[in-house]
Structures are given as C-alpha cells and as structure tokens.
Amino acid sequence: MAFLLRRCFTFFVTILIVMIMTFLVFRIIPGDPALTILGMDAEPEQIAALEKELGTDRPLYEQFLDWAGGVFTGNLGESLRFSQPVSELVIDRIPVTLSLAIMSIVITMFLAIPIGIYSAKKQGSWVDTALSITTQIGMAIPSFWLGIILMLIFGLTFKWFSPTGYVPWSENPSEALNSLFLPSLAIAIPQIAVVVRYLRTTMIEQLQLDYVRTAKSKGLKEKSILYIHVLKNALIPVITIFGMIFADVLAGSLVIEQVFALPGFGRLLISSISYRDLPLIQGMVVIIAFIVLLMNFIIDILYRWLDPRIELK
Amino acid sequence: MSESVLNVNNLEVNIKSSKGTFPVLENISFNINKGEIVGLVGESGCGKSMTSLAIMGLLPNQAKWTKGEITLSSKQLQSLSPEEMRKLRGNQLAMIFQDPMTSLNPVLTIGYQLIESIKLHLQYPKAKAKTYAIDLLTKVGLSRADKLIYQYPHELSGGMRQRVMIAMALVCNPTLLIADEPTTALDVTIQAQIIDLLKELNKKEGTSILFISHDLGLVHDLCDKVFVMYAGEIVEQATVQELFDNPQHPYTKGLIQSLPLPEKKKERLYSIPGTVPGIHDRGQNCRFSSRCPHVTEHCTTHHPSQIQISKTHVVHCFLSEKGGTTSG
C-alpha cells in the first residue's frame, strides 16, 4: 500500500512538472497566438482585443492556474484554430496513435524475445555474429527512413499492405490492422534491435548461474530451462527498459504518422505548433505524458510481480 | 558380492584452453555398490567436481570425455544420446550442490521447482504431483510443507534450501545421489543435520551416495569407502577404517594430519606445503612429488603405478612399493 501511495504521489508531481514546463516553453519561445491569428499587419487595438478574449493578457500564474484547474477537473480548454474543445479533437486521434504504439510494442516483444534467447543460446556462433551485426544496423537506422523503405517494398512493389491511409477499427478491423502494420514495424525494428542486444547479454549472464546447473541436473528440457527458468530472471532487467521503449515508440509514432499519412496525434501536434494553438498543444502534451507515466506505472507493478524478492508493499 | 550401481573405468577428460588440450582427469576408476556411501576427497582443483559432472553428463563445453567407460546400473553412459542422458538425470541419477543459496531459481516458488520435476519424470497430474511434493518436503524434515510450496527460495534459510534440493533429488528415488560438498556453505549445526538426513536416506531407501568433500572429518562420519583424488587422479582408495588406520599415500597422511582434533589443541595445525599443480604443469612424474616430504629422485621422473595393500586398499605411491618406509 505504501508503495502504491508513493507511486501515485510521484505520478502526480511528474504530471505537474510536465504541465509547468509545456506551459512555460510556449510562453518563452517567440510567436504570439494573437499575432499568428491576425497576421503581421494587424492593428495594435485588434491584437489587444483578441488577447483579452484569449486571456493571454493576464499574468502568467493566473493563466496557468486557470488552465491547470481545468486539466485536473477534466476540461482541457478549447482549441484556438478549430474553436472546438481540445478533448473532442484529441479523442478522434488517440486510437490511431495508441494502436500504432501498442502494435509496435507487441511486435517488439514477439520478435525480440525469441531472437534474443536464440542469440544467447548460440553464443559465439556465426548466427550470433550475424544477428549482432544486424541489430547494430537496426539500431542505427532511423524509423522514418525504414518506414519509407518498407512502404516502397511491401506497399508499392509487392502491394501486400496498403502504403498509406487509415481505416478505423470500428469500420473494418482487418483493414485497420493492414494499414497500421507497416508503420508499426518501422517503429518496432530499432526497438527490437535494442531489446535483442540487451536480452542476449542478460540471458548469457543468467546461463552461468548455479540454478541453471540445478535445472539441468533435474533433467529438464532445454526449452523449459531457457523459456521458464532463465527467461523469467533475464526479463527483470529487460522489463525496466520497456518503459523507455514505450516513450520512444510513442515519439516514433508521432514521426511515422507523417510518412504514412495517418490521422493521429503527430500530425495534429505538429500543425498546432506552427499555428501556436496553445491550448491544443498543452492538452496533447499532457495526455502523452499521462500515457507514458501510466505505462511506467504498469511496468513497475509488473517488475515487482516478476521478482518476488521485491515486496509489493 | 553386492551389485554395482556405478562403475567408472579408466575415465579420461580433456580440457581445451588457449594453450592447447590438457587432461583434467586421467585413469579414474572406481566402483560404488548398492547402498554404499562413498567419499571422494581432495583439495580444490583436484577434479572432484569434474568427475561428478562427467557422471552427470554435464561437462562444460571446453571439457571432453576422451576415454573410459561409466556404467550406471548396467547402462553404458557413453553410448547414450544426449536425450537419453537427460531422461536419466533427475531420475536414476540425481545431484545436490555446494551452495544452496544460489542453487535454486530465485524467481520460482519451491512448489513450482519441485512439481516440474515430478510432472516431467513421473507424469503425475497436477493435484497428485502437489501432494507428492508436500510428502517429499515432509520426508526431508521440513515442517509446514503445505505452506512452503508457495514460498520463494529467499524466504528460506540455507539449511532449509538444502533440504529442498535433497527433496528435488529424491523425486524418482535415484539409484545414485551425487552430493557435491553439500554442507560446505552451511554452519556446523545445520551441517550435522544434513549429514544425518543423508545417512537416514541411505539406510531407509538404500540410495547409494557419492559424497564429494574436502572435509575428511565428515567423510569419516558418513562414508563406507573413500577415494582420495590429487591433480586429476585417484591416488588412494580404501575403506574408511583402513584409510584412517593405515594411510599409505603421503597426500592422504597430510590431509589426515591437517584435521583439527581436540587432542591436538596446543599444536600448530599442520598444512601441506604448496598447492595442487595446474593442468599445464602435469608431467610424467608423481604429481605429488613437488609437495611430498618423502620425495626421491625416482618420484620426479616416473609415474607410480597401482599397489594393492589389501583387497580393498589400493595406493599409487613408490614408497609403498618398497615397503617399510611409509610406516609412521
């Protein structure tokens, strides 16, 4: 219980810091929303009137408290550009970005874990060396470039997957899966490379330990030794990097959405920044931060479940 | 004659290192009969653990079994496939290890680790396997076994963990139990309890035990027969009585002399000078010659052959050959 309380407290404080930072950053960097809306030739009176309407003429702390109060009561404010509540604009786009992120994580886990184990098992062989070179390359390639290449090969040449566009899950789940597969893969590949390398190292470390010898002396099959005895131990350090990977994946999907023309968070966020649509930007950043923190929270609990030596108190 | 459970004949194991291939075990021959407890003693680096791993078929990758036969109750182990060997482990052939703190998997419950063995070898359904697991834990002297199966190794003391290890080894009532320094990491009172447990098992179930130790005192209390190993060879073998009453090899004498006994309280404890030669410096001489107090010219150039002292007592030493010189 003490653990959960402490964890909730840090969760809240982190969200607050993220809010303060996003709020301040867009007040410090040049570019005034009223000026952007009205254009460079606007009269000073017009600007002043709009600033009063938008509330940007008030002191910073007042503006912040106003906004923060809204956020904690579930009101993210209204977009300047679309004159629509931020929550409404965001809700349409969340499924696209979240689907991308979740699919990438799933692909990463399903490919990285068996490959990592295999590489550790074949330690020192030519397969291991080949895998090590491949993962090195995989880590070095930016995902947007991978996205373009995947689109070119599997979308345009072989036509196995739709190269661009998005079909909502509610309309046609298999089409939705099809449209999200290539971008998810593009995001996942560098992450797979990271996890494979990390898992390989921890597996090799674990394989030297006494309990593996005990497992062998019990006559267990190699499969149960690797996939149950060693993997459960090796996943403990690996699971901690999954928190970072999730943040990476979310950032990656913001970029990949541009490449595959997916109507997700990324496109809305980038266009809102150039428009100085402050309430929309702030709202989206808070939501992204919330998702990442929530994911880390889940990972923390998972970590405690995997390692019984840490008590869930 | 009682029936033989394990027979090792002329075993040789080589190890590959960056400097070349070297023998770690040479000419290892011994026999364990049904219901016997046999001690294998020697300093660290003598090849005791390597011998047990060779029997288990768990030699490390760099090590290779190059010569000799191992027979486990009429099964020739060298002719078995890795899969057949795997089925034998945890079944007829079981092993417990030195450090019970690290020998159990830290993230799996005691019950899981015990039940997986039961399911694998005996194909029991889940409920029956669980009952059997509780029975085994009770049999090795653990109380509240029904609660214990849900606990993790870190919640248990060292002695309890070693008992769990023994319970795991007993799943299939093995014909041979190899105990590799099972009490070295435990404190003395717990040590005695584990030794008593092994004795009891031997008496009740007739399990043969190969007890590997560097502690001659424990071997004296527990074993029927003793093999003394030095630098990858067996230098002396005898019954416990013969070995302590009439040790032949200077190395055995040194080991017995270095035992701390109450009557020697005032004296400085004896220790054999020097260390075991590494695998790279073993030539065609008596391997103990560099540390032997009775070394002669002959010892440094020739390898001693086997000398029969009695029906059950064999030694590899030139001193015994000449006779007389070794008494005292």
Side-chain angles (χ1 to χ4, degrees):
Chain A
M1 216 38 225
F3 159 72
L4 280 177
L5 267 174
R6 208 173 50 234
R7 208 59 190 71
C8 286
F9 178 73
T10 48
F11 193 113
F12 176 79
V13 171
T14 317
I15 283 276
L16 201 67
I17 292 171
V18 169
M19 282 169 67
I20 294 171
M21 281 173 60
T22 37
F23 184 85
L24 285 181
V25 160
F26 285 96
R27 263 73 183 174
I28 291 165
I29 59 168
D32 180 70
L35 208 67
T36 319
I37 294 168
L38 295 172
M40 293 302 278
D41 310 324
E43 298 295 321
E45 298 82 44
Q46 274 180 293
I47 291 176
L50 188 61
E51 273 184 345
K52 198 172 173 63
E53 198 193 315
L54 296 175
T56 45
D57 59 334
R58 291 186 295 159
L60 274 186
Y61 74 91
E62 224 176 81
Q63 289 183 47
F64 178 75
L65 286 180
D66 205 33
W67 174 63
V71 170
F72 285 113
T73 50
N75 176 16
L76 291 170
E78 200 169 88
S79 156
L80 300 181
R81 183 159 54 135
F82 301 101
S83 310
Q84 252 181 314
V86 169
S87 44
E88 256 177 46
L89 285 164
V90 160
I91 263 174
D92 288 346
R93 284 161 173 91
I94 278 187
V96 182
T97 305
L98 219 51
S99 306
L100 262 184
I102 291 169
M103 269 178 72
S104 309
I105 288 280
V106 170
I107 293 172
T108 304
M109 288 204 313
F110 271 88
L111 290 178
I113 291 175
I115 296 173
I117 293 175
Y118 187 76
S119 189
K121 195 175 99 181
K122 297 274 173 191
Q123 183 196 355
S125 70
W126 67 268
V127 191
D128 181 37
T129 315
L131 276 170
S132 153
I133 295 168
T134 316
T135 51
Q136 199 106 50
I137 296 169
M139 284 199 299
I141 297 177
S143 54
F144 70 85
W145 185 82
L146 260 178
I148 295 169
I149 296 298
L150 287 175
M151 188 199 285
L152 195 70
I153 298 174
F154 298 106
L156 297 171
T157 311
F158 290 111
K159 299 196 181 352
W160 291 348
F161 298 96
S162 60
T164 53
Y166 171 70
V167 180
W169 292 96
S170 52
E171 248 173 57
N172 187 338
S174 76
E175 282 286 308
L177 199 69
N178 186 302
S179 63
L180 290 174
F181 184 74
L182 286 185
S184 307
L185 190 64
I187 301 166
I189 285 172
Q191 310 301 337
I192 292 172
V194 173
V195 177
V196 165
R197 291 183 83 86
Y198 203 64
L199 185 63
R200 175 184 176 274
T201 316
T202 52
M203 285 290 285
I204 288 172
E205 264 169 34
Q206 291 288 329
L207 279 168
Q208 316 291 330
L209 297 181
D210 286 353
Y211 73 82
V212 178
R213 190 185 51 188
T214 307
K216 282 182 189 162
S217 79
K218 279 157 79 180
L220 295 183
K221 292 178 183 145
E222 196 186 23
K223 231 185 187 162
S224 27
I225 296 177
L226 284 174
Y227 279 83
I228 298 170
H229 282 256
V230 182
L231 183 62
K232 206 174 170 203
N233 281 287
L235 273 184
I236 294 167
V238 172
I239 206 87
T240 49
I241 67 161
F242 259 93
M244 286 184 274
I245 281 184
F246 189 78
D248 267 7
V249 159
L250 216 54
S253 39
L254 300 185
V255 177
I256 270 307
E257 280 167 16
Q258 311 294 315
V259 177
F260 285 85
L262 296 170
F265 248 60
R267 294 176 75 197
L268 185 65
L269 186 64
I270 289 166
S271 62
S272 307
I273 290 172
S274 47
Y275 197 82
R276 292 289 183 275
D277 191 346
L278 297 182
L280 189 52
I281 299 167
Q282 287 166 10
M284 291 176 81
V285 171
V286 167
I287 288 170
I288 292 171
F290 182 81
I291 294 171
V292 170
L293 284 172
L294 191 70
M295 205 53 212
N296 275 300
F297 186 71
I298 293 170
I299 282 167
D300 248 24
I301 290 173
L302 208 63
Y303 184 69
R304 269 142 213 276
W305 171 76
L306 268 176
D307 192 350
R309 286 164 293 187
I310 301 171
E311 275 182 57
L312 225 170
K313 267 183 192 163
Chain B
M1 268 307 267
S2 49
E3 72 182 285
S4 162
V5 165
L6 179 81
N7 190 282
V8 179
N9 184 25
N10 208 11
L11 175 70
E12 183 181 295
V13 171
N14 284 339
I15 206 154
K16 229 198 240 164
S17 77
S18 51
K19 290 183 191 164
T21 308
F22 298 92
V24 263
L25 297 178
E26 268 180 289
N27 266 319
I28 304 288
S29 299
F30 61 89
N31 184 62
I32 301 175
N33 288 329
K34 191 167 174 18
E36 261 180 343
I37 306 183
V38 172
L40 191 59
V41 295
E43 287 162 286
S44 316
C46 282
K48 293 170 294 173
S49 294
M50 201 56 91
T51 308
S52 63
L53 291 176
I55 298 166
M56 291 296 284
L58 291 176
L59 282 174
N61 289 334
Q62 318 89 281
K64 216 174 162 187
W65 176 357
T66 42
K67 241 184 13 205
E69 297 92 46
I70 300 178
T71 318
L72 180 82
S73 31
S74 74
K75 261 197 200 91
Q76 296 279 326
L77 298 193
Q78 70 275 13
S79 58
L80 296 184
S81 69
E83 179 63 12
E84 288 169 314
M85 200 60 217
R86 180 188 67 70
K87 283 187 179 150
L88 213 61
R89 282 196 291 272
N91 202 330
Q92 280 158 280
L93 200 52
M95 187 161 177
I96 55 174
F97 299 94
Q98 187 172 39
D99 193 350
M101 304 312 261
T102 55
S103 293
L104 290 164
N105 193 325
V107 300
L108 297 171
T109 59
I110 302 299
Y112 182 90
Q113 298 187 52
L114 196 49
I115 288 168
E116 82 179 329
S117 248
I118 298 171
K119 280 196 199 154
L120 179 76
H121 292 295
L122 304 172
Q123 278 92 36
Y124 280 6
K126 212 176 168 188
K128 196 177 170 195
K130 196 177 141 187
T131 325
Y132 185 47
I134 295 172
D135 287 349
L136 279 172
L137 290 173
T138 315
K139 191 164 139 190
V140 295
L142 288 165
S143 51
R144 300 188 311 110
D146 52 329
K147 302 262 184 339
L148 208 63
I149 56 170
Y150 300 107
Q151 287 187 297
Y152 288 93
H154 72 274
E155 297 168 290
L156 274 59
S157 69
M160 286 167 87
R161 289 189 216 186
Q162 196 58 290
R163 284 176 196 266
V164 172
M165 285 294 293
I166 294 172
M168 282 187 344
L170 295 183
V171 165
C172 298
N173 246 324
T175 34
L176 178 70
L177 173 68
I178 301 176
D180 188 356
E181 310 217 15
T183 58
T184 308
L186 302 172
D187 56 50
V188 190
T189 46
I190 309 296
Q191 211 171 56
Q193 290 174 13
I194 297 291
I195 295 296
D196 285 343
L197 177 62
L198 289 176
K199 269 188 196 163
E200 192 190 311
L201 276 171
N202 168 261
K203 213 176 256 166
K204 276 194 188 155
E205 316 286 338
T207 315
S208 306
I209 299 173
L210 177 61
F211 184 77
I212 298 171
S213 181
H214 59 251
D215 186 340
L216 268 178
L218 280 179
V219 169
H220 182 262
D221 287 350
L222 181 70
C223 301
D224 306 314
K225 265 196 320 210
V226 191
F227 301 103
V228 181
M229 269 190 98
Y230 187 77
E233 294 178 316
I234 290 179
V235 293
E236 185 163 9
Q237 63 182 75
T239 62
V240 167
Q241 206 59 42
E242 282 171 323
L243 193 87
F244 281 85
D245 290 352
N246 182 23
Q248 290 291 315
H249 201 282
Y251 180 58
T252 316
K253 287 180 194 167
L255 285 179
I256 294 172
Q257 256 188 300
S258 50
L259 271 178
L261 295 172
E263 60 264 28
K264 294 198 291 193
K265 208 173 167 184
K266 294 252 166 63
E267 295 166 38
R268 198 186 155 86
L269 196 60
Y270 178 76
S271 72
I272 307 171
T275 51
V276 184
I279 53 166
H280 309 301
D281 340 300
R282 292 176 187 171
Q284 273 311 308
N285 56 353
C286 169
R287 284 171 187 175
F288 192 59
S289 58
S290 58
R291 300 168 73 187
C292 183
H294 311 291
V295 64
T296 65
E297 187 68 37
H298 194 58
C299 303
T300 55
T301 48
H302 293 78
H303 194 265
S305 53
Q306 176 173 321
I307 292 154
Q308 202 88 28
I309 304 295
S310 77
K311 226 175 98 189
T312 47
H313 193 168
V314 173
V315 69
H316 294 251
C317 179
F318 292 120
L319 297 169
S320 305
E321 206 168 29
K322 291 164 195 155
T325 43
T326 54
S327 57

